[in-house]
Amino acid sequence: MSEADERGFFERFGKGDAGTGSRKAETVNMSAPGKGKAASAAKPHYHGHRERLRERFDSHGDGNFRDDELLELYLFRAVPRADTKSIAKALLGRFGSLSAVLSAPRHLLQEVPRVGEAVAQDLAIAAAIHRRCLKRDIEHREVLSSWAALIDYCRAAMQHESREQFRILFLDKKNALIADEVQQVGTVDHTPVYPREVVKRALELSATAVILVHNHPSGDPAPSRADIAMTKTIIEVAAPLGITVHDHVIIARSGETSLRGQGYI
């Protein structure tokens, strides 16, 4: 278009409609013959990538997906029109693993560049669904015969917590789960535990046995002397009332420790 033609083109929209005219001109130019190649060149580098990733998942499942690719695929829902590969990699770089991303508090997720409220909420929902499924696997079942499922649930619930939590699994006379409660939340390396409160709550729920669980944010599941002493105190207080302490499990990022398995109780 010559300079004279350009002036005539914009004059048709009037001086008062310059902003509207510009937008209409842009629309016309984008659809004009011969512009397809230029428009294609302007497409973002990830154009078509989403469809290819979806097709891979549909054809092969998640078996050949890296963690960052699976997270990227999930983020398509919360980020409908942008590159999610860089967001997925940033999340994994910040938190270290896929499970840690799903367990991260929403305010920390939003500290990652380009992670807004929608992404943080979607990740929190995914984590909640995962925990609910794992919990259903141990509910109304003989917990001691479903030990692997129990550990999976406890790891999902506590492994990446930044503060210590003291959790109690209350069991009935058939060792089926009655309730799962966090009794105390402490600091990064200490949780106050009150043995009489543990026993009192067990009596309120008519529980005949308990499994004690707490996490070590340090990443080391080895029990401290205080952990062992506290467990023995709870056993001593509970035994005269007919309440059995089956185990005390310590959960950490690097694994878990059973005090009974280690011979401490």
Side-chain angles (χ1 to χ4, degrees):
M1 184 181 289
S2 69
E3 184 176 345
D5 289 336
E6 287 180 342
R7 284 197 300 269
F9 179 82
F10 286 106
E11 283 171 1
R12 289 201 301 271
F13 295 98
K15 293 182 180 179
D17 296 325
T20 303
S22 297
R23 285 193 296 273
K24 290 182 179 179
E26 183 180 4
T27 302
V28 171
N29 286 336
M30 286 295 289
S31 60
K35 295 296 183 179
K37 188 174 181 180
S40 177
K43 290 177 181 176
H45 67 88
Y46 51 84
H47 179 76
H49 175 66
R50 292 188 174 209
E51 191 57 36
R52 291 192 294 272
L53 210 59
R54 290 191 178 105
E55 288 174 357
R56 272 181 59 200
F57 185 82
D58 288 344
S59 299
H60 306 291
D62 66 323
N64 67 341
F65 272 67
R66 300 189 309 269
D67 285 356
D68 62 298
E69 291 176 318
L70 196 58
L71 182 56
E72 176 189 357
L73 183 66
Y74 178 75
L75 291 175
F76 288 171
R77 303 300 191 270
V79 187
R81 289 179 297 278
D83 178 17
T84 59
K85 179 182 290 189
S86 59
I87 301 175
K89 289 187 174 182
L91 284 166
L92 289 169
R94 167 67 174 80
F95 297 103
S97 69
L98 193 56
S99 61
V101 170
L102 290 177
S103 302
R106 289 167 66 170
H107 71 279
L108 292 183
L109 289 170
Q110 290 183 253
E111 291 179 0
V112 176
R114 299 177 61 208
V115 174
E117 185 176 343
V119 170
Q121 184 184 60
D122 270 21
L123 291 170
I125 291 170
I129 292 171
H130 178 56
R131 287 193 301 270
R132 183 67 59 87
C133 291
L134 292 173
K135 188 174 183 180
R136 291 290 181 263
D137 286 342
I138 62 173
E139 284 185 327
H140 312 300
R141 295 175 61 181
E142 208 279 321
V143 171
L144 299 182
S145 65
S146 309
W147 194 254
L150 174 69
I151 294 300
D152 285 345
Y153 167 66
C154 291
R155 287 175 66 86
M158 307 175 71
Q159 184 179 21
H160 297 290
E161 288 293 330
S162 59
R163 294 188 295 169
E164 280 199 8
Q165 289 185 355
F166 182 69
R167 189 180 219 98
I168 309 172
L169 306 179
F170 298 95
L171 312 178
D172 64 16
K173 62 183 179 181
K174 294 183 179 179
N175 287 323
L177 185 67
I178 297 173
D180 160 32
E181 297 180 355
V182 175
Q183 191 188 61
Q184 297 289 338
V185 177
T187 63
V188 294
D189 59 3
H190 175 70
T191 305
V193 177
Y194 306 100
R196 294 185 183 279
E197 291 300 315
V198 174
V199 174
K200 176 184 176 184
R201 184 59 177 153
L203 292 171
E204 290 173 349
L205 293 170
S206 299
T208 58
V210 296
I211 296 174
L212 313 175
V213 189
H214 84 279
N215 63 308
H216 280 180
S218 67
D220 181 3
S224 65
R225 291 181 180 178
D227 293 336
I228 298 167
M230 175 265 291
T231 305
K232 291 181 176 179
T233 300
I234 293 176
I235 292 172
E236 291 171 1
V237 174
L241 298 171
I243 300 169
T244 301
V245 178
H246 282 313
D247 207 342
H248 183 173
V249 180
I250 299 174
I251 301 291
R253 287 189 299 275
S254 61
E256 62 281 332
T257 296
S258 158
L259 267 66
R260 184 169 295 281
Q262 294 294 315
Y264 291 112
I265 59 176

